[in-house]
Amino acid sequence: CPLQNVITQCHRTLIRHSLTLKPSSSSTINGNMNNDHHPQEQQLQYYIDFDMLQDQLDSNQIKIVLLCNPHNPSGRVWTKLELQKLIQICTERNILMVTDEIWCDWVLRWSPSQFIPLASLLPRVNDDSKQQEEEGKNKKSFTPRCITLLGPGKTWNLAGLHCSVVIVQHDEETRQRYQNYVEPAFLHFGSAFATEALLSYKDDKDCEHITPSGKKYHHRGQAWLERTKHHVEENIQLLIKFCNNNTQNASELQQFKLQVIRPDATYLVWIDCSGMKHSSKTQELLAENAGVILSNGNEFSPETTNFVRMNAACSRQTFVQALEQIQKILLLEDSM
């Protein structure tokens, strides 16, 4: 990861906080999804171990916390309570929060949580000045600081235009340092192409779109995005049925024990392959023998070597073909 390389090359310490994978605590079903689209089996989900996080922050004198919301690769959308807890922990230690929210538009319909920008939960400095003054009499208090990273690349497939947004809140010194760094290279504004692409999706009262479900949008791109999400959700459900042995060859597939971590957001699916014979080599096996290239889990953490990440944003024909090719190779591998 380029960001991680920058941190280590600057002789800074990079500490990974390992998320905890356990059964989901959510028992509610989003009203927009029916039972056919929302399997009732127990779901696994990632959680932040806040006790462990505080120990890591205190023992390593951490100055910056990096958050990905929605999370990549798991697709987890952090709840309001989780975000508030993180703000409290970081503010008490005067730690700068940097949140990557590039996937914010890609929350899926079955997600138990809505996306909430971290910065929207920060207390307003002016409103809380008296409260902070009172608290400061008893203990040292700090102003919460946050940098938000955004971009249309994931939502509208515009990564090639190199358009993104950086928002610095409650930290004028850091904002000025950033401006001094990017302005000489003319990196503080988007190109004409990037600007035009962003403006083309602005609200337009004269341009009404209706989705298959009957929803109306006065937004040039929103109707397309909703249709695309629906298509990706159906692809993910096909993958879940495949991994849960709901195919015609269910008895033959039982030995594979592939576990999908169903995403709350994004079109990327995190798959646990630890039940396979050679789980750490799943990505290599499928790439060389099935012609299906997935992201290897060790690209994200040494602790997720037995995982792979699959992109569900493709045509139904391509996705089904990929599953069929995976099935053939897994059956062949198990018989060896």
Side-chain angles (χ1 to χ4, degrees):
C1 173
L3 178 59
Q4 296 177 8
N5 293 338
V6 168
I7 295 174
T8 55
Q9 289 172 5
C10 291
H11 307 291
R12 301 295 182 92
T13 301
L14 178 65
I15 304 297
R16 297 177 183 272
H17 175 72
S18 299
L19 300 177
T20 302
L21 183 62
K22 59 182 181 180
S24 173
S25 60
S26 174
S27 59
T28 59
I29 296 178
N30 189 310
N32 294 328
M33 299 297 292
N34 56 40
N35 291 342
D36 293 335
H37 291 82
H38 195 302
Q40 296 300 300
E41 70 273 3
Q42 191 176 48
Q43 300 292 333
L44 293 177
Q45 194 56 276
Y46 281 98
Y47 294 87
I48 300 174
D49 184 334
F50 285 104
D51 290 335
M52 179 194 301
L53 177 62
Q54 293 182 81
D55 290 340
Q56 288 178 313
L57 297 179
D58 294 337
S59 60
N60 295 281
Q61 298 182 330
I62 299 298
K63 297 181 179 180
I64 300 176
V65 165
L66 305 177
L67 175 71
C68 189
N69 184 33
H71 184 262
N72 179 20
S74 73
R76 177 75 151 80
V77 176
W78 305 113
T79 66
K80 182 177 181 179
L81 290 177
E82 289 171 324
L83 296 175
Q84 289 176 327
K85 181 66 174 179
L86 181 65
I87 292 174
Q88 176 190 348
I89 290 173
C90 291
T91 303
E92 290 175 350
R93 295 161 174 79
N94 196 26
I95 294 174
L96 173 64
M97 295 168 283
V98 179
T99 173
D100 177 357
E101 299 179 357
I102 195 170
W103 289 102
C104 63
D105 295 321
W106 258 96
V107 178
L108 303 174
R109 291 181 295 168
W110 56 58
S111 172
S113 304
Q114 294 182 340
F115 167 75
I116 301 175
L118 181 70
S120 69
L121 299 177
L122 298 183
R124 297 177 61 180
V125 176
N126 293 337
D127 292 349
D128 290 356
S129 57
K130 292 184 179 180
Q131 178 181 350
Q132 292 177 2
E133 183 178 347
E134 291 298 321
E135 293 177 350
K137 294 179 181 179
N138 301 319
K139 64 177 181 179
K140 191 174 183 179
S141 62
F142 301 100
T143 299
R145 298 176 296 137
C146 176
I147 297 178
T148 302
L149 309 178
L150 291 165
K154 302 301 184 184
T155 305
W156 311 112
N157 198 25
L158 299 177
L161 293 180
H162 293 182
C163 47
S164 59
V165 178
V166 178
I167 304 172
V168 183
Q169 290 183 262
H170 299 174
D171 194 338
E172 187 59 35
E173 179 183 354
T174 298
R175 189 197 338 262
Q176 192 58 54
R177 288 172 60 191
Y178 175 78
Q179 292 280 29
N180 294 340
Y181 187 82
V182 298
E183 284 183 357
F186 301 101
L187 297 175
H188 59 299
F189 58 88
S191 68
F193 299 103
T195 302
E196 181 63 26
L198 285 172
L199 292 177
S200 68
Y201 297 107
K202 71 181 187 306
D203 290 345
D204 189 344
K205 295 182 180 180
D206 298 324
C207 187
E208 182 176 88
H209 297 272
I210 302 177
T211 66
S213 62
K215 289 185 178 180
K216 295 182 179 180
Y217 293 98
H218 294 288
H219 192 290
R220 296 184 184 218
Q222 191 64 38
W224 170 87
L225 179 59
E226 292 301 317
R227 290 194 298 268
T228 305
K229 283 184 182 180
H230 180 73
H231 173 82
V232 167
E233 288 165 351
E234 291 182 338
N235 277 354
I236 294 175
Q237 292 299 338
L238 285 176
L239 176 60
I240 291 175
K241 289 182 179 179
F242 174 82
C243 293
N244 286 347
N245 311 320
N246 291 327
T247 64
Q248 293 180 352
N249 297 321
S251 60
E252 297 177 344
L253 289 171
Q254 287 177 357
Q255 61 244 10
F256 299 137
K257 300 179 182 178
L258 299 177
Q259 174 69 56
V260 173
I261 311 302
R262 190 184 62 195
D264 297 336
T266 84
Y267 46 75
L268 304 172
V269 188
W270 195 230
I271 307 172
D272 183 359
C273 307
S274 57
M276 294 180 57
K277 284 184 177 180
H278 307 290
S279 57
S280 62
K281 297 183 179 180
T282 301
Q283 189 271 346
E284 181 181 344
L285 175 71
L286 296 179
E288 294 182 356
N289 299 289
V292 179
I293 299 178
L294 309 178
S295 298
N296 205 328
N298 61 17
E299 297 177 9
F300 303 93
S301 171
E303 299 177 356
T304 54
T305 303
N306 296 328
F307 285 76
V308 293
R309 190 187 69 176
M310 188 173 189
N311 189 332
C314 60
S315 70
R316 186 64 39 75
Q317 179 181 0
T318 298
F319 199 74
V320 170
Q321 181 182 357
L323 295 182
E324 291 174 348
Q325 293 174 198
I326 290 173
Q327 178 176 328
K328 291 178 182 179
I329 295 303
L330 295 183
L331 287 170
L332 178 63
E333 189 263 352
D334 190 70
S335 64
M336 296 174 59

